[in-house]
PDB file of all heavy atoms in Angstrom:
ATOM      1  N   SER A 289     111.934  82.520 100.902  1.00  0.00           N
ATOM      2  CA  SER A 289     113.057  81.999 100.124  1.00  0.00           C
ATOM      3  C   SER A 289     114.388  82.227 100.836  1.00  0.00           C
ATOM      4  O   SER A 289     115.387  81.588 100.510  1.00  0.00           O
ATOM      5  CB  SER A 289     113.084  82.644  98.738  1.00  0.00           C
ATOM      6  OG  SER A 289     113.420  84.016  98.837  1.00  0.00           O
ATOM      7  N   MET A 290     114.404  83.127 101.801  1.00  0.00           N
ATOM      8  CA  MET A 290     115.632  83.402 102.543  1.00  0.00           C
ATOM      9  C   MET A 290     115.888  82.365 103.635  1.00  0.00           C
ATOM     10  O   MET A 290     116.981  82.303 104.186  1.00  0.00           O
ATOM     11  CB  MET A 290     115.563  84.805 103.149  1.00  0.00           C
ATOM     12  CG  MET A 290     115.532  85.876 102.079  1.00  0.00           C
ATOM     13  SD  MET A 290     114.865  87.448 102.574  1.00  0.00           S
ATOM     14  CE  MET A 290     115.969  88.088 103.739  1.00  0.00           C
ATOM     15  N   PHE A 291     114.888  81.561 103.974  1.00  0.00           N
ATOM     16  CA  PHE A 291     115.014  80.577 105.037  1.00  0.00           C
ATOM     17  C   PHE A 291     114.918  79.178 104.433  1.00  0.00           C
ATOM     18  O   PHE A 291     113.922  78.832 103.807  1.00  0.00           O
ATOM     19  CB  PHE A 291     113.919  80.773 106.083  1.00  0.00           C
ATOM     20  CG  PHE A 291     114.004  82.104 106.765  1.00  0.00           C
ATOM     21  CD1 PHE A 291     113.196  83.152 106.360  1.00  0.00           C
ATOM     22  CD2 PHE A 291     114.909  82.310 107.796  1.00  0.00           C
ATOM     23  CE1 PHE A 291     113.277  84.383 106.975  1.00  0.00           C
ATOM     24  CE2 PHE A 291     115.006  83.547 108.413  1.00  0.00           C
ATOM     25  CZ  PHE A 291     114.191  84.590 107.998  1.00  0.00           C
ATOM     26  N   PRO A 292     115.938  78.352 104.645  1.00  0.00           N
ATOM     27  CA  PRO A 292     115.950  77.024 104.009  1.00  0.00           C
ATOM     28  C   PRO A 292     114.824  76.117 104.479  1.00  0.00           C
ATOM     29  O   PRO A 292     114.338  75.292 103.722  1.00  0.00           O
ATOM     30  CB  PRO A 292     117.317  76.448 104.377  1.00  0.00           C
ATOM     31  CG  PRO A 292     117.884  77.322 105.419  1.00  0.00           C
ATOM     32  CD  PRO A 292     117.140  78.610 105.413  1.00  0.00           C
ATOM     33  N   GLY A 293     114.340  76.275 105.686  1.00  0.00           N
ATOM     34  CA  GLY A 293     113.303  75.391 106.203  1.00  0.00           C
ATOM     35  C   GLY A 293     111.926  75.645 105.625  1.00  0.00           C
ATOM     36  O   GLY A 293     111.020  74.830 105.772  1.00  0.00           O
ATOM     37  N   THR A 294     111.761  76.744 104.936  1.00  0.00           N
ATOM     38  CA  THR A 294     110.434  77.076 104.412  1.00  0.00           C
ATOM     39  C   THR A 294     110.318  76.841 102.908  1.00  0.00           C
ATOM     40  O   THR A 294     109.343  77.254 102.296  1.00  0.00           O
ATOM     41  CB  THR A 294     110.092  78.547 104.703  1.00  0.00           C
ATOM     42  OG1 THR A 294     111.077  79.381 104.079  1.00  0.00           O
ATOM     43  CG2 THR A 294     110.038  78.830 106.187  1.00  0.00           C
ATOM     44  N   GLN A 295     111.277  76.174 102.328  1.00  0.00           N
ATOM     45  CA  GLN A 295     111.269  75.964 100.877  1.00  0.00           C
ATOM     46  C   GLN A 295     110.086  75.116 100.421  1.00  0.00           C
ATOM     47  O   GLN A 295     109.550  75.331  99.347  1.00  0.00           O
ATOM     48  CB  GLN A 295     112.582  75.300 100.420  1.00  0.00           C
ATOM     49  CG  GLN A 295     113.813  76.156 100.654  1.00  0.00           C
ATOM     50  CD  GLN A 295     113.767  77.458  99.867  1.00  0.00           C
ATOM     51  OE1 GLN A 295     113.233  77.509  98.784  1.00  0.00           O
ATOM     52  NE2 GLN A 295     114.320  78.506 100.450  1.00  0.00           N
ATOM     53  N   ASN A 296     109.660  74.149 101.234  1.00  0.00           N
ATOM     54  CA  ASN A 296     108.566  73.270 100.825  1.00  0.00           C
ATOM     55  C   ASN A 296     107.234  73.695 101.441  1.00  0.00           C
ATOM     56  O   ASN A 296     106.324  72.900 101.551  1.00  0.00           O
ATOM     57  CB  ASN A 296     108.899  71.806 101.166  1.00  0.00           C
ATOM     58  CG  ASN A 296     109.183  71.629 102.648  1.00  0.00           C
ATOM     59  OD1 ASN A 296     109.085  72.572 103.422  1.00  0.00           O
ATOM     60  ND2 ASN A 296     109.556  70.421 103.017  1.00  0.00           N
ATOM     61  N   PHE A 297     107.126  74.927 101.833  1.00  0.00           N
ATOM     62  CA  PHE A 297     105.886  75.454 102.402  1.00  0.00           C
ATOM     63  C   PHE A 297     104.874  75.626 101.276  1.00  0.00           C
ATOM     64  O   PHE A 297     105.134  76.287 100.287  1.00  0.00           O
ATOM     65  CB  PHE A 297     106.168  76.807 103.075  1.00  0.00           C
ATOM     66  CG  PHE A 297     105.024  77.326 103.870  1.00  0.00           C
ATOM     67  CD1 PHE A 297     104.751  76.808 105.127  1.00  0.00           C
ATOM     68  CD2 PHE A 297     104.211  78.322 103.377  1.00  0.00           C
ATOM     69  CE1 PHE A 297     103.703  77.293 105.885  1.00  0.00           C
ATOM     70  CE2 PHE A 297     103.163  78.806 104.117  1.00  0.00           C
ATOM     71  CZ  PHE A 297     102.906  78.294 105.373  1.00  0.00           C
ATOM     72  N   SER A 298     103.704  75.025 101.425  1.00  0.00           N
ATOM     73  CA  SER A 298     102.733  75.042 100.331  1.00  0.00           C
ATOM     74  C   SER A 298     101.863  76.286 100.372  1.00  0.00           C
ATOM     75  O   SER A 298     101.623  76.865 101.426  1.00  0.00           O
ATOM     76  CB  SER A 298     101.842  73.798 100.396  1.00  0.00           C
ATOM     77  OG  SER A 298     101.017  73.863 101.525  1.00  0.00           O
ATOM     78  N   MET A 299     101.370  76.692  99.207  1.00  0.00           N
ATOM     79  CA  MET A 299     100.510  77.861  99.111  1.00  0.00           C
ATOM     80  C   MET A 299      99.153  77.609  99.757  1.00  0.00           C
ATOM     81  O   MET A 299      98.499  78.545 100.202  1.00  0.00           O
ATOM     82  CB  MET A 299     100.323  78.275  97.646  1.00  0.00           C
ATOM     83  CG  MET A 299     101.521  79.003  97.077  1.00  0.00           C
ATOM     84  SD  MET A 299     102.013  80.422  98.059  1.00  0.00           S
ATOM     85  CE  MET A 299     100.830  81.615  97.524  1.00  0.00           C
ATOM     86  N   SER A 300      98.713  76.352  99.816  1.00  0.00           N
ATOM     87  CA  SER A 300      97.419  76.087 100.440  1.00  0.00           C
ATOM     88  C   SER A 300      97.476  76.407 101.934  1.00  0.00           C
ATOM     89  O   SER A 300      96.530  76.963 102.485  1.00  0.00           O
ATOM     90  CB  SER A 300      96.979  74.641 100.210  1.00  0.00           C
ATOM     91  OG  SER A 300      97.885  73.752 100.829  1.00  0.00           O
ATOM     92  N   SER A 301      98.590  76.072 102.582  1.00  0.00           N
ATOM     93  CA  SER A 301      98.697  76.418 103.994  1.00  0.00           C
ATOM     94  C   SER A 301      98.865  77.929 104.149  1.00  0.00           C
ATOM     95  O   SER A 301      98.418  78.514 105.135  1.00  0.00           O
ATOM     96  CB  SER A 301      99.843  75.672 104.664  1.00  0.00           C
ATOM     97  OG  SER A 301     101.074  76.011 104.080  1.00  0.00           O
ATOM     98  N   TYR A 302      99.502  78.569 103.164  1.00  0.00           N
ATOM     99  CA  TYR A 302      99.598  80.030 103.183  1.00  0.00           C
ATOM    100  C   TYR A 302      98.205  80.640 103.123  1.00  0.00           C
ATOM    101  O   TYR A 302      97.887  81.553 103.872  1.00  0.00           O
ATOM    102  CB  TYR A 302     100.456  80.516 102.012  1.00  0.00           C
ATOM    103  CG  TYR A 302     100.382  81.999 101.777  1.00  0.00           C
ATOM    104  CD1 TYR A 302     101.028  82.888 102.629  1.00  0.00           C
ATOM    105  CD2 TYR A 302      99.647  82.523 100.719  1.00  0.00           C
ATOM    106  CE1 TYR A 302     100.958  84.248 102.433  1.00  0.00           C
ATOM    107  CE2 TYR A 302      99.568  83.882 100.515  1.00  0.00           C
ATOM    108  CZ  TYR A 302     100.224  84.747 101.372  1.00  0.00           C
ATOM    109  OH  TYR A 302     100.137  86.092 101.169  1.00  0.00           O
ATOM    110  N   ARG A 303      97.364  80.134 102.244  1.00  0.00           N
ATOM    111  CA  ARG A 303      95.994  80.649 102.118  1.00  0.00           C
ATOM    112  C   ARG A 303      95.192  80.391 103.388  1.00  0.00           C
ATOM    113  O   ARG A 303      94.434  81.246 103.834  1.00  0.00           O
ATOM    114  CB  ARG A 303      95.312  80.023 100.904  1.00  0.00           C
ATOM    115  CG  ARG A 303      95.809  80.582  99.609  1.00  0.00           C
ATOM    116  CD  ARG A 303      94.944  80.154  98.440  1.00  0.00           C
ATOM    117  NE  ARG A 303      95.509  80.683  97.219  1.00  0.00           N
ATOM    118  CZ  ARG A 303      95.928  79.958  96.197  1.00  0.00           C
ATOM    119  NH1 ARG A 303      95.810  78.654  96.245  1.00  0.00           N
ATOM    120  NH2 ARG A 303      96.444  80.530  95.138  1.00  0.00           N
ATOM    121  N   ASP A 304      95.356  79.211 103.959  1.00  0.00           N
ATOM    122  CA  ASP A 304      94.662  78.910 105.215  1.00  0.00           C
ATOM    123  C   ASP A 304      95.107  79.868 106.319  1.00  0.00           C
ATOM    124  O   ASP A 304      94.274  80.395 107.058  1.00  0.00           O
ATOM    125  CB  ASP A 304      94.932  77.459 105.652  1.00  0.00           C
ATOM    126  CG  ASP A 304      94.266  76.445 104.744  1.00  0.00           C
ATOM    127  OD1 ASP A 304      93.321  76.820 104.009  1.00  0.00           O
ATOM    128  OD2 ASP A 304      94.695  75.270 104.780  1.00  0.00           O
ATOM    129  N   ASN A 305      96.413  80.061 106.407  1.00  0.00           N
ATOM    130  CA  ASN A 305      96.927  80.980 107.418  1.00  0.00           C
ATOM    131  C   ASN A 305      96.465  82.405 107.158  1.00  0.00           C
ATOM    132  O   ASN A 305      96.149  83.147 108.089  1.00  0.00           O
ATOM    133  CB  ASN A 305      98.455  80.924 107.478  1.00  0.00           C
ATOM    134  CG  ASN A 305      98.949  79.636 108.064  1.00  0.00           C
ATOM    135  OD1 ASN A 305      98.238  78.972 108.814  1.00  0.00           O
ATOM    136  ND2 ASN A 305     100.170  79.263 107.734  1.00  0.00           N
ATOM    137  N   LEU A 306      96.420  82.788 105.889  1.00  0.00           N
ATOM    138  CA  LEU A 306      95.944  84.126 105.542  1.00  0.00           C
ATOM    139  C   LEU A 306      94.478  84.286 105.935  1.00  0.00           C
ATOM    140  O   LEU A 306      94.089  85.302 106.525  1.00  0.00           O
ATOM    141  CB  LEU A 306      96.125  84.396 104.047  1.00  0.00           C
ATOM    142  CG  LEU A 306      95.614  85.743 103.551  1.00  0.00           C
ATOM    143  CD1 LEU A 306      96.406  86.884 104.190  1.00  0.00           C
ATOM    144  CD2 LEU A 306      95.689  85.822 102.040  1.00  0.00           C
ATOM    145  N   ASN A 307      93.669  83.274 105.647  1.00  0.00           N
ATOM    146  CA  ASN A 307      92.253  83.329 106.018  1.00  0.00           C
ATOM    147  C   ASN A 307      92.077  83.396 107.536  1.00  0.00           C
ATOM    148  O   ASN A 307      91.228  84.134 108.037  1.00  0.00           O
ATOM    149  CB  ASN A 307      91.495  82.136 105.447  1.00  0.00           C
ATOM    150  CG  ASN A 307      91.250  82.277 103.963  1.00  0.00           C
ATOM    151  OD1 ASN A 307      91.201  83.383 103.444  1.00  0.00           O
ATOM    152  ND2 ASN A 307      91.117  81.149 103.281  1.00  0.00           N
ATOM    153  N   LYS A 308      92.880  82.632 108.256  1.00  0.00           N
ATOM    154  CA  LYS A 308      92.814  82.681 109.718  1.00  0.00           C
ATOM    155  C   LYS A 308      93.233  84.058 110.233  1.00  0.00           C
ATOM    156  O   LYS A 308      92.605  84.608 111.131  1.00  0.00           O
ATOM    157  CB  LYS A 308      93.702  81.602 110.337  1.00  0.00           C
ATOM    158  CG  LYS A 308      93.158  80.205 110.178  1.00  0.00           C
ATOM    159  CD  LYS A 308      94.121  79.186 110.756  1.00  0.00           C
ATOM    160  CE  LYS A 308      93.642  77.770 110.501  1.00  0.00           C
ATOM    161  NZ  LYS A 308      94.600  76.777 110.990  1.00  0.00           N
TER     162      LYS A 308
END
Side-chain angles (χ1 to χ4, degrees):
S289 69
M290 295 158 66
F291 298 99
T294 60
Q295 296 298 327
N296 57 3
F297 189 78
S298 68
M299 283 306 280
S300 63
S301 62
Y302 168 74
R303 286 191 182 120
D304 291 341
N305 289 336
L306 178 64
N307 285 334
K308 288 177 185 177

